[in-house]
């Protein structure tokens, strides 16, 4: 039963229910006064916070997760990393909170929530640049001849060659060029990307002027807020065309054939770990926010498996599209696939544009592809911003609720990110973009975040305890392999790759040629540490402010803070522990929670 304290109106849970206070503690560990239960009104006549909304249909949740997790990383980042070398939903659903308050499950480690907020803010800031570039290509596609298909433009150099005919150079009939000279020529696709879109400067220390065309595309992407299946149609068409090109098979073999010597390189491991965490949106808090809007009895276990299969399948499929085109470009230029284009974040803006130039009615397919790219990115961008805003608003006490607070918060967040993004639309913007991409929201930061999330859930809160919580929601205990992953496999792999990367750290380079200055790397590490230090600083701050012996402080600060919806449990803990993966409970014994509908 819930009891109300006459002193401050705080609702708490009796010992017969879950152990732990109901309301979030203040800075000294005591319950914060004036923070009444959500939806029950607040002192002083302020607006009552409406009940937390839920998804109308489970498919809405699935498609939102697919739209967020299956994004540009699948068609942009995954192939680029190949060329160069599930428990968050259930936690959000159980706690009914965003990325910060979800760690009320173990308040001492609430720094994980703040860290995820920092990471997702960085991700929201730089990720949209890929959308802006895609939107720029989309606009340039509405022409009879694609501008990246031919030379002779103002941005082209004398080294630009549209068609690489090696049989002609062998006969010395192509403008008296030797084959070695022809191999040094540049494709108009690469020159359009580097000289027109990026207007690439000499380095990070040469920012140059704003590219106003790309700036307007960036502004359009932030102002505009289809379906999740359209991208697959476009990718299938591009794949069919790609595999029919000469040299495509060599590209696919290069994609699938492992180079075992690369396993000794720490960068390969960090790139692999980065792609998994980035693609699955682990550690960003956005999946937690989406899960918090689920009905309490939603089968999040099944949803997580479905999302994992869709996500990995999309990345794997997109790799075939990219490498079939790279194989053709390598055969056309007479060079090895590894030399056909410089590895970097812009690889997709070289391979995909080249692919559409080979299609009949090329401008139409170019418009469709970059429209697809825009849709992919917008899905992920929307959810990323919403995850960030959800975490922020969950921090506000109920007494501070005001009408349109979400809309105003979203507008302010988008405006701030847009201002920061202006540094990425200058001539040296690509160097800034890669700093964000390499340090702020990937690599070491996500590995560090995932390691501590596993430690807190599996060892501080308790893996068996969390398995019981999931059983309360879905009616049966997940496969024991999940618990072993949380407890051993995932944290060991994360920390192993993290240490491997730190020990064998190499300075950041762009296109294998430009080495960042020391102050550029310092900026990157400042991005990384701004999220990584949230965990230890919050932990130390809480321990120092708390009272009692260190053991008493630890005991008090690791005690979960439950929400009102936990009072609706009808299944007792003893019944939950008796559940197995083969004994789902009946519908009548599941939890019924009163929720509003989104």
């Amino acid at each position: 039963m819930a009891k109300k304290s006459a002193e401050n109106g705080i609702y708490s849970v009796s010992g017969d229910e879950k152990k732990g206070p109901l309301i979030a503690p203040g800075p000294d560990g005591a319950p914060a006064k004036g923070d009444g239960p959500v939806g029950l009104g607040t002192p002083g006549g302020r607006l009552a916070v409406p009940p937390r909304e839920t998804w109308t249909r489970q498919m809405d949740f699935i498609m939102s997760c697919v739209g967020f997790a299956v994004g540009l990383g699948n068609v942009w980042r995954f192939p680029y990393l190949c060329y160069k070398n599930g428990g968050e939903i259930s936690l959000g659903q159980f706690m009914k909170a965003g990325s910060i308050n979800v760690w009320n499950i173990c308040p001492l480690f609430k720094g994980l929530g703040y860290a995820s907020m920092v990471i997702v803010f960085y991700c929201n800031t730089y990720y949209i640049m890929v959308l802006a570039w895609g939107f720029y290509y989309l606009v340039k596609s509405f022409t009879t001849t694609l501008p990246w298909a031919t030379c002779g433009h103002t941005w082209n150099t004398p080294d630009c060659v549209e068609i690489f005919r090696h049989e002609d150079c062998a006969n010395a009939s192509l403008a008296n060029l030797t084959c070695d000279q022809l191999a040094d020529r540049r494709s108009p696709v690469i020159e359009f990307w580097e000289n027109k879109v990026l207007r690439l400067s000499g380095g990070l220390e040469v920012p140059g002027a704003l590219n106003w065309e790309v700036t307007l595309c960036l502004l359009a992407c932030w102002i505009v807020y289809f379906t999740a299946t359209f991208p697959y149609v476009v990718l299938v068409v591009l794949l069919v065309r790609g595999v029919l090109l000469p040299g495509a098979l060599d590209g696919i073999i290069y994609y699938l054939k492992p180079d075992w010597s690369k396993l000794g390189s720490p960068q390969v491991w960090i790139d692999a770990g980065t792609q998994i965490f980035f693609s699955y949106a682990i550690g960003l808090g956005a999946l937690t926010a989406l899960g918090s809007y689920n009905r309490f009895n939603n089968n999040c276990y099944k949803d997580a498996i479905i999302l994992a299969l869709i996500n990995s399948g999309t990345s794997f499929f997109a790799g075939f599209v990219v490498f079939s085109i790279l194989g053709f470009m390598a055969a056309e230029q007479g060079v090895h696939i590894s030399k056909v284009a410089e590895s970097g974040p812009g690889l997709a803006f070289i391979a995909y544009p080249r692919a559409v130039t080979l299609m009949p009615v090329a401008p139409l397919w170019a418009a469709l592809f970059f429209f697809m790219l825009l849709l992919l990115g917008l899905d992920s961008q929307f959810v990323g911003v919403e995850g960030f805003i959800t975490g922020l608003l969950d921090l506000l006490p109920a007494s501070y609720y005001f009408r349109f607070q979400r809309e105003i918060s979203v507008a302010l967040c988008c405006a701030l990110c847009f201002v920061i993004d202006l540094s990425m639309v200058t001539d040296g913007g690509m160097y800034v973009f890669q700093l964000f991409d390499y340090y702020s929201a990937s690599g070491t930061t996500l590995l560090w975040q995932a390691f501590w999330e596993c430690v807190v859930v599996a060892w501080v809160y308790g893996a068996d305890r969390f398995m019981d919580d999931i059983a309360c929601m879905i009616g049966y205990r997940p496969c024991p392999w999940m618990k072993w992953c949380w407890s051993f496999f995932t944290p060991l792999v994360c920390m192993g790759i993290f240490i491997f990367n730190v020990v064998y750290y190499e300075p950041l380079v762009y296109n294998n040629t430009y080495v960042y200055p020391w102050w550029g790397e310092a900026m990157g590490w400042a991005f990384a540490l701004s999220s990584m230090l949230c965990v230890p600083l919050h932990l130390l701050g809480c321990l120092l402010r708390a009272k009692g012996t260190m053991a008493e402080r630890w005991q008090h600060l690791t005690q979960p803070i439950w929400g009102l919806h936990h009072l609706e449990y009808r299944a007792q803990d003893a019944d939950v522990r008796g559940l197995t993966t083969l004994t789902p409970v009946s519908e009548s014994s599941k939890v019924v929670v009163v929720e509003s509908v989104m």
Side-chain angles (χ1 to χ4, degrees), residues 310-371:
I310 294 176
N311 205 322
S312 295
T314 303
S315 295
F316 189 61
F317 180 74
F320 282 95
V321 180
V322 170
F323 278 88
S324 63
I325 303 303
L326 290 178
F328 165 73
M329 293 177 67
E332 182 187 45
Q333 298 177 25
V335 297
H336 191 264
I337 297 175
S338 62
K339 305 295 183 182
V340 71
E342 294 291 350
S343 175
L347 177 64
F349 290 97
I350 295 173
Y352 289 120
R354 179 58 175 149
V356 296
T357 62
L358 304 171
M359 305 285 288
V361 196
L364 172 63
W365 287 108
L368 288 176
F369 172 77
F370 290 108
F371 181 58

Side-chain angles (χ1 to χ4, degrees), residues 63 120 130 133 310 526:
M63 298 309 290
V120 79
V130 186
W133 294 326
I310 294 176

Side-chain angles (χ1 to χ4, degrees), residues 399-419:
S399 57
Y400 284 87
Y401 173 78
F402 60 91
R403 200 177 302 276
F404 303 121
Q405 67 174 10
R406 174 172 291 274
E407 290 78 5
I408 294 174
S409 301
V410 169
L412 292 175
C413 176
C414 292
L416 177 60
C417 289
F418 174 76
V419 172

